[in-house]
Each structure stands twice: as structure tokens, then as C-alpha cells.
Amino acid sequence: MSKVPEWFLQELRQKVDIVDVVSDYVQLRRSGRSYSGLCPFHNERTPSFSVSQDRGMYHCFGCGAGGTVINFVMDIEGVSFQEAVIVLAERAGLTVPEGLGAGATQPNTKQQRHREAHDLAAQLYGYILMNMSAGVQALSYLEKRGISRKTIVDFRLGFAPNSQDVLVSALRRRGFQDEELVSCGLAVEMGNRIVDRFRGRIMIPICDKKGEVVAFGGRTMLPDGKPKYLNSPENDVFHKSRLLYNFHAARKFIRQQRTAILLEGYMDVISLAQAGISSGVASLGTSLTEEQAKLLKADADRVVIAYDGDAAGRKAAIRAIDILQGAGIDPVVLSIPDDLDPDEYVRTYGGEAFTRLLGRQTMSVVQFLLDDLRQTANLVSPVGRTDFVRSALQLLAQRATPVEQEYELRNLSQEFNLSVETLKEELRVFTKQNKRHREQSVERTAQSIAAQPLERAVSRASTELLKAVLFDEQAAAYVMEKGLTELAEPLQTALLAQLYAWRLANPTSDPSTFVDELEDEPLVQLASSLFFGDDIPEFSQDLLDDYVRTVERHHLEEDYRVLLRRWIEVEASGDTERAREIKLQVEQLQDQIATLKLPREQNAGGVKEAGM
């Protein structure tokens, strides 16, 4: 996976405490010999995320994420193996081996060229805005909107003039080829030549999590210009569904407060930051995505949705609520008075007023959804009022806590002159319906799990054999000598093959080095799970023989079932000769299965767990 010397990785593992690293992102509590917390990679309310300080590993028993501290930094920060090594080395005060730094900052030449081109473009656009006559109108526009020159510099704002090739010409002089400029989205083809993609627009750099410019948002200067905002196209470096505008700068403030402010537009973020509210981020011209919610989940427990109050903004807020709750984040919705957007409100009343607004005008999800129902309800007619009350009660049954239900029922009672008891009775009907739907869903899930053919015994035996090969050099040699090549599941079999190759090449290496060498994410997850659970036992030959017999018998029984069905089909067809041949094979398999029966199973009718 990497060109990092093994001696350096060993030193890094000794110097870096995985609990300290993970604690920067996850609130951990000691649980026995390990630490546990809510997984930062998926939505959960009950902790299933474990970190072993002794073994230097993490694993989530909910989503399967796991690996070493290097894997954790790769996953949580979205960086390469070498970049994660450098981050951890800097944290530990270690000097990286010569040549590693350059290799890590340029893991992909094409991607690095993309970043270099965008950084140079940001410099050029910024210079034009602040120092050239072509940028005077754009600079005046920003200042009229209350954006200070310091903020312009902080956010690296710029201006792309109407000239068709000012950027193309500049980057050609810096050695960039035309095809590079087109592929990274800074230029477009026009007939036989290429021209600047962005022209006559205020340029807003979009940065990745490390703060490097990877794209732009361009705002038109024309009153009727279309589109109002033009974003860079997606490519190898820029995926708008995976980034949030200003996340790199806002992250430390979000982490301090465990709260983020989710805004609709670039100018909302910039205005709030200038007013001293630094935890604002925005999605990039699209609705909030699951990937963006996962970014926030690592640092925030709560997100204030501060979208525009129009119909489109309310619709986007509802979508964001579902996505944030799906990621395990508690959303609230800010109600901004006078139909103003956040940028307009801050420019009109100031940052302190907006901060007070955050404390006074936030609504819970239930309050916001009830308010949204009210926006479209026909409260003039009796039928419309009845429909609204029923919809409100259904909403309370689905999403409200008992305290919220009590509070809102009293409000509904006063508004519509209905008794609280009548409303509660109707609410109970909806609650029962919801409970029945949930129970049916749970039952279907349970039936699905029960229908899985894999037996506990062979699953346990396969897992223990993987542990034996991973943690015990002598046990690994014995299992390889037995010639076992297939376990219960394809993924386990694939990991076993990788373990064999690793053991032969590294007979005395630390098991964590094996995990760092894996490139396939499902294999990393499976391998990391082996480090957790019960203490690693001593693998005697008798115990290993039990496990091997259990696995071999499992495969023979699968073959037996297939052959038995085939025998029945052939006999039914009237082919007595072929049926006799298959019957003989069935009997041979029965004999083989009987020879593999464990001594302690002689008085049992089924397969029991080996080694238990």
C-alpha cells in the first residue's frame, strides 16, 4: 500500500496513542480494557465503536469500519496512506524519512497539478480584484454588500474579467497544457481553441478539508445573468457532494461548540464569518448530502439549519433534517424574521443580533414541521382545520417525544377548542399504527436473519482460524500444513489467502502491520474485528483440528444437500442408472461427514460450536 519504511511505521505505532487521536473526533469512555463511543462513520444511538489502546486498533461492530490509527486518519480526514502517516508523524514529533514528504503531498501527479492550477488561479483572480482596473466594479460591489477588504483576503475572493483567455494564457506560461486546464475545469473548448470557463464573475474559491483550492463558485455581475452562480465541474479532485464550503476553516469552531450552522449560500457564510460567527458552512449548490452530513458528524452533535424562509428554503430544510437525523445529528431550524436570509439579516442588524437570534428563534424539528404543515393548511374551512389537526397528530406520533407531545397537544387544544383528552385519544390511534408498522419491520428483519444459512459453529471456527494465523506464528504454520484454503464465507477465504502470503513473507511481524498492508476496505474491516472480543486464546493442535474439521464438514454438508436434491430430481425423471450413481456419491459424503464428527458431538443431533 505504501512506500513508507516498515521501521518507521513501527516507531510511529509506538509513539502514537490511538485513543488520543480518536478522542479528537469521538467522545470515548473506558469500557473494560477498551474504550467505546458513538461511531463517527455511521448513525447510531448506542455505542458500538471500540478502540483498543493495547492493540492500537479500532472497530465498529455496527458498520464494520476498523483498522489501525493510520486507517482511522485516512477515513476521518479523507487522505491517502502516506498523508495520514505524515499527519501522525507531525503529531508525534517524528521526522519523516527523506523523500516521504514529497511523495505524500503528491500521491497523484494529475491531482496535484489540478490543485496547483487552482491555487494559481485563485492568486490571479485575487490580484485582479484588488489591484487592477478590471476588478474595480466587482470590488465596489462587494464593499457595498458590506464585505471588508480583510474578509476578501481571508476568503481569497477574486474576479474573473470578461477576457476570454486571461487565465488560460497565465497558466500556459506556468507550463500547463491545454488538456490539463480543460480536464480540471478551469477552461472550456470553444471551436479550435480553449477559453476561460469563468468570465465576468466574482470568484469564490472552494477548498477541500485541508484548505487547498479545488474548485470555484463564480457569481455573475450582470443583474439578469444566468446562472447566478456557476460552479466548477466535478472531477477527480472535486466532488461537490462530499465537500462543504468553508468546512476547513469552520471545523475547529464547530468542534469547540459541537454545533455547526448550515447555510444555503457562499455569501451567507462569508457575512456571518465577518460578523464573528465562524461555524457556518454551506452545501455547494445542491441539497445536503449524506456524505456532507458524515463530515459534520465527526465534529458536531447539533446543526442549526439557517436556510432562507421561502418555500424552496423550507423544502430544502426538511430534506436536510432527514439526512442529519440519519447521520445521528440533532438538527434545529432557525426562524429568521422579516423574510430575510442570513446575509441580509447580518447586514441589517449585525452579528450580535444574529447571535441573539440563534438563542431565541431556533425551533425543534417537530415545531418546524408543524409550522410547515400550517403554511399549506386551509384553516378557514372546517374540513381544512380537521385535516390539519389529524396531520399534526400523526406527526406528533411519529416524531415527537412525550414532552413535545404534551406541549403541542395543549397548544392544539387551545387553538382549535378541542379537549386535550380527545386529542390524546386520537394520538393513541396513530401511535398504535406506528408501533404496529415498527413491529412488522422488526419481525421481517428477524426472519431475514434467521433465514441466513450460515451456522454459528462454522462461523466461529472460521473466525478463530483467522485469529490463529494472524496472532500465532506456530498456529499459522500448522493450519497451512493442514492445507485449509476455504472458510465459511468468501470474504473470510479471501482474508485467509492474504494472511497466508503475509505470514510466509513476515513470519515474526506485528499483526497490526498486516492490517496496514491491506488495500481492500472490506478486508480491513474484517481483519480489524479480529482484534476485539475475547482475549486471544492459546491455539493447541487439538483445538485447531476441531476448527478445521468444523469448517471442512460444513462444506461437505453443503455439497451433500446439493447432491441430495440432484438425486431426488434424477430419480423423479426415471433415469435409474444415473440416480444409482448419485446415490452412491451421497452415501460416500455421509461417510466422510461422519468421520469429521467431533468426539463431544456423538450424543448430539447437530453441529455444535468447535472449541466452546
Side-chain angles (χ1 to χ4, degrees):
M1 169 177 283
S2 74
K3 297 179 181 178
V4 185
E6 180 56 36
W7 65 264
F8 183 75
L9 290 177
Q10 291 282 18
E11 185 176 0
L12 187 66
R13 294 186 190 102
Q14 293 172 3
K15 293 281 188 180
V16 175
D17 186 337
I18 189 172
V19 171
D20 286 344
V21 174
V22 175
S23 293
D24 287 346
Y25 305 88
V26 180
Q27 185 175 355
L28 295 176
R29 294 182 179 178
R30 181 174 283 279
S31 177
R33 294 176 57 184
S34 299
Y35 293 79
S36 66
L38 296 175
C39 179
F41 303 112
H42 84 291
N43 171 34
E44 63 176 9
R45 299 190 182 276
T46 303
S48 61
F49 182 83
S50 294
V51 182
S52 172
Q53 196 169 38
D54 297 339
R55 297 169 181 171
M57 302 291 294
Y58 74 96
H59 185 77
C60 176
F61 293 90
C63 69
T68 66
V69 66
I70 299 174
N71 297 120
F72 182 82
V73 173
M74 290 170 64
D75 290 343
I76 202 76
E77 295 290 352
V79 297
S80 69
F81 184 90
Q82 290 189 2
E83 288 172 316
V85 167
I86 289 177
V87 168
L88 292 170
E90 291 175 351
R91 183 188 184 102
L94 296 176
T95 302
V96 297
E98 186 177 353
L100 177 59
T105 55
Q106 298 182 13
N108 181 297
T109 302
K110 181 180 178 182
Q111 291 183 358
Q112 186 59 24
R113 294 281 287 178
H114 175 116
R115 296 172 190 273
E116 290 174 2
H118 277 75
D119 185 70
L120 290 170
Q123 292 181 43
L124 177 61
Y125 292 144
Y127 182 83
I128 292 172
L129 176 66
M130 300 294 285
N131 300 285
M132 296 181 66
S133 59
V136 169
Q137 184 181 359
L139 183 60
S140 175
Y141 168 82
L142 290 171
E143 290 178 336
K144 286 180 180 178
R145 289 196 61 157
I147 305 300
S148 69
R149 295 202 174 200
K150 181 182 182 302
T151 300
I152 290 172
V153 173
D154 289 344
F155 281 86
R156 301 188 68 180
L157 303 183
F159 180 67
N162 282 312
S163 173
Q164 291 191 339
D165 61 356
V166 62
L167 179 63
V168 167
S169 298
L171 292 179
R172 280 171 177 163
R173 289 193 295 269
R174 298 298 292 266
F176 286 90
Q177 303 298 314
D178 288 0
E179 54 269 22
E180 289 183 292
L181 301 180
V182 172
S183 67
C184 75
L186 291 174
V188 293
E189 295 179 347
M190 183 179 290
N192 297 328
R193 62 196 186 103
I194 68 167
V195 299
D196 296 352
R197 174 180 293 275
F198 297 98
R199 301 186 297 277
R201 291 179 178 270
I202 293 173
M203 299 302 290
I204 304 168
I206 298 169
C207 298
D208 62 13
K209 291 197 294 183
K210 295 182 292 183
E212 296 186 7
V213 182
V214 294
F216 288 98
R219 189 193 190 284
T220 182
M221 289 293 296
L222 301 175
D224 56 349
K226 299 293 183 182
K228 183 177 180 180
Y229 282 94
L230 175 66
N231 282 340
S232 296
E234 293 199 343
N235 49 54
D236 291 344
V237 174
F238 175 53
H239 302 276
K240 61 184 179 182
S241 64
R242 303 177 193 172
L243 293 178
L244 287 163
Y245 178 65
N246 196 47
F247 183 70
H248 69 288
R251 189 172 188 183
K252 65 179 180 180
F253 301 100
I254 293 172
R255 190 179 296 171
Q256 289 169 2
Q257 305 163 10
R258 299 301 300 175
T259 300
I261 302 174
L262 182 62
L263 301 152
E264 276 196 79
Y266 306 122
M267 299 309 297
D268 293 327
V269 172
I270 294 170
S271 291
L272 263 63
Q274 181 174 276
I277 303 166
S278 303
S279 54
V281 297
S283 53
L284 301 173
T286 59
S287 300
L288 186 74
T289 66
E290 292 181 4
E291 293 93 336
Q292 291 167 340
K294 288 178 182 178
L295 279 181
L296 293 170
K297 171 61 178 172
D299 302 292
D301 303 316
R302 182 172 177 265
V303 168
V304 179
I305 302 172
Y307 286 174
D308 296 352
D310 57 14
R314 297 178 71 86
K315 186 176 180 181
I318 293 172
R319 289 196 299 267
I321 284 170
D322 292 335
I323 290 172
L324 290 168
Q325 288 183 327
I329 298 173
D330 179 29
V332 294
V333 182
L334 181 65
S335 175
I336 303 176
D338 303 328
D339 292 326
L340 299 177
D341 62 34
D343 172 40
E344 293 169 336
Y345 190 89
V346 169
R347 283 192 282 135
T348 303
Y349 300 106
E352 291 185 5
F354 191 86
T355 301
R356 289 194 297 271
L357 205 64
L358 289 170
R360 298 173 182 174
Q361 293 291 113
T362 53
M363 295 185 288
S364 71
V365 168
V366 169
Q367 289 171 333
F368 173 75
L369 294 177
L370 283 172
D371 185 64
D372 189 65
L373 279 177
R374 191 181 298 279
Q375 297 289 326
T376 56
N378 179 12
L379 299 181
V380 177
S381 73
V383 173
R385 289 195 296 272
T386 300
D387 288 343
F388 170 75
V389 171
R390 288 181 59 83
S391 296
L393 291 173
Q394 193 166 26
L395 173 65
L396 292 177
Q398 291 172 342
R399 308 188 76 141
T401 65
V403 172
E404 287 177 316
Q405 288 179 352
E406 184 73 21
Y407 178 79
E408 297 299 341
L409 285 176
R410 292 186 184 279
N411 288 340
L412 290 171
S413 172
Q414 294 175 7
E415 181 178 0
F416 294 96
N417 196 26
L418 296 168
S419 72
V420 173
E421 284 306 315
T422 298
L423 293 172
K424 283 185 176 180
E425 182 61 33
E426 188 79 2
L427 179 63
R428 279 191 284 269
V429 173
F430 288 119
T431 301
K432 288 179 181 178
Q433 291 176 352
N434 291 332
K435 182 180 179 182
R436 186 162 58 251
H437 290 322
R438 285 195 298 269
E439 288 174 347
Q440 290 172 349
S441 177
V442 169
E443 184 178 350
R444 286 193 296 269
T445 302
Q447 290 173 349
S448 174
I449 293 173
Q452 293 177 0
L454 188 61
E455 301 166 5
R456 289 185 63 221
V458 69
S459 177
R460 171 67 183 271
S462 296
T463 299
E464 294 303 311
L465 285 168
L466 288 172
K467 287 183 178 180
V469 179
L470 178 60
F471 295 108
D472 190 321
E473 180 186 352
Q474 293 182 343
Y478 184 76
V479 174
M480 284 189 276
E481 186 180 329
K482 298 288 287 184
L484 181 69
T485 59
E486 190 176 1
L487 296 178
E489 298 176 323
L491 191 63
Q492 291 175 323
T493 299
L495 186 62
L496 182 66
Q498 296 264 24
L499 274 169
Y500 282 168
W502 173 75
R503 267 294 172 200
L504 291 172
N506 310 276
T508 60
S509 290
D510 187 281
S512 62
T513 65
F514 169 71
V515 181
D516 279 336
E517 291 179 10
L518 292 172
E519 297 187 23
D520 189 2
E521 185 62 28
L523 292 180
V524 173
Q525 295 179 357
L526 176 57
S528 70
S529 70
L530 302 177
F531 288 77
F532 292 85
D534 299 333
D535 290 339
I536 307 302
E538 293 185 6
F539 293 100
S540 66
Q541 289 189 4
D542 287 344
L543 185 60
L544 293 173
D545 286 341
D546 281 357
Y547 291 146
V548 171
R549 277 197 296 267
T550 299
V551 172
E552 289 179 343
R553 194 175 71 183
H554 166 75
H555 293 304
L556 286 175
E557 288 176 341
E558 282 190 332
D559 293 342
Y560 172 79
R561 285 190 288 269
V562 171
L563 202 58
L564 191 62
R565 285 195 297 271
R566 179 63 179 151
W567 176 34
I568 294 172
E569 292 171 358
V570 171
E571 194 170 48
S573 71
D575 189 344
T576 55
E577 184 64 28
R578 180 60 180 152
R580 193 179 302 112
E581 293 175 1
I582 297 176
K583 180 184 177 183
L584 181 60
Q585 295 174 17
V586 169
E587 292 171 348
Q588 290 173 343
L589 279 177
Q590 286 177 319
D591 292 339
Q592 292 180 50
I593 291 170
T595 63
L596 291 174
K597 198 168 189 179
L598 301 177
R600 57 181 168 277
E601 292 179 309
Q602 296 299 325
N603 61 351
V607 179
K608 291 189 177 180
E609 291 185 355
M612 294 187 68

